[in-house]
């Protein structure tokens, strides 16, 4: 149960850093949905193991008794696979929505690229971008970053 304690601490930390009560509620709600999805998915995996064993037992029992009921196998595996899929889908949706809620109060700013410098290398072209932006606080930010592309540079067709 150590993973559960870590999840609770991580959720508590994200809720503490959220600025609005709505964001805290969304983080709590989607964390709960994610935890439920995890438990259901694990229960579904356990059902798959039980279904494997039950299939062998039922096959021997039906063979010895001369019974031909194929519907039992369909229901057995259908329930096991269905519970696993529902848990996995709930886990995936809950995880994605929780992450969206965790970063909902993030700062967003827009700016412009002032200059691009192309720096050719052996097999790739590197670009240095100089940008400037005005932040939410009213201060301005000037910086640079280095990026690469695997698209070959344009050449002239002389």
């Amino acid at each position: 149960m150590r993973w559960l304690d870590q999840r609770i601490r991580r959720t508590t930390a994200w809720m503490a850093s959220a600025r609005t009560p709505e964001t805290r509620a969304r983080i709590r709600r989607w964390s709960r949905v994610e935890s439920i999805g995890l438990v259901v998915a694990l229960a579904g995996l356990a059902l798959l193991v039980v279904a494997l064993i039950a299939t062998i037992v039922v096959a021997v029992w039906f063979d010895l008794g001369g019974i031909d009921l194929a519907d039992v196998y369909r229901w057995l595996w259908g329930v096991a696979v269905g519970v696993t899929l529902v848990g996995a889908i709930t886990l995936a949706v809950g995880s994605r929505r929780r992450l969206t809620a965790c970063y909902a109060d993030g700062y967003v700013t827009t700016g412009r690229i002032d200059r691009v410098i192309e720096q050719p290398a052996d097999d790739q072209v590197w670009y240095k971008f100089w940008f400037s932006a005005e932040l939410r606080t009213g201060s301005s930010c000037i910086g640079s970053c280095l990026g690469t592309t695997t698209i070959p540079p344009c050449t002239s067709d002389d």
Side-chain angles (χ1 to χ4, degrees), residues 75-92:
W75 275 100
L76 190 65
W77 284 99
V79 168
V81 170
V83 169
T84 306
L85 285 177
V86 166
I89 290 170
T90 305
L91 176 64

Side-chain angles (χ1 to χ4, degrees), residues 18-153:
R19 287 180 283 176
T20 62
E22 293 86 12
T23 303
R24 282 190 285 276
R26 284 178 50 208
I27 292 171
R28 190 179 315 112
R29 178 182 333 116
W30 288 113
S31 178
R32 215 174 279 142
V33 168
E34 184 182 19
S35 296
I36 290 169
L38 180 64
V39 169
V40 171
L42 289 175
L45 289 175
L47 279 175
L48 285 173
V49 172
V50 169
L52 178 65
I53 295 168
T55 299
I56 295 169
V57 170
V58 168
V60 170
W61 181 24
F62 283 180
D63 189 43
L64 291 177
I67 304 169
D68 186 24
L69 291 175
D71 291 342
V72 173
Y73 301 116
R74 288 189 205 114
W75 275 100
L76 190 65
W77 284 99
V79 168
V81 170
V83 169
T84 306
L85 285 177
V86 166
I89 290 170
T90 305
L91 176 64
V93 170
S95 179
R96 190 184 78 228
R97 297 274 174 97
R98 181 189 54 83
L99 284 174
T100 302
C102 286
Y103 292 104
D105 288 340
Y107 293 109
V108 176
T109 187
T110 57
R112 68 176 186 273
I113 296 178
D114 295 325
R115 199 165 96 194
V116 177
I117 301 172
E118 185 177 327
Q119 299 173 340
D122 293 339
D123 59 345
Q124 293 181 338
V125 176
W126 291 83
Y127 296 97
K128 188 165 190 170
F129 298 100
W130 291 89
F131 60 89
S132 60
E134 186 155 335
L135 302 176
R136 254 180 100 226
T137 60
S139 61
S140 60
C141 171
I142 300 173
S144 67
C145 64
L146 194 61
T148 182
T149 180
T150 55
I151 301 172

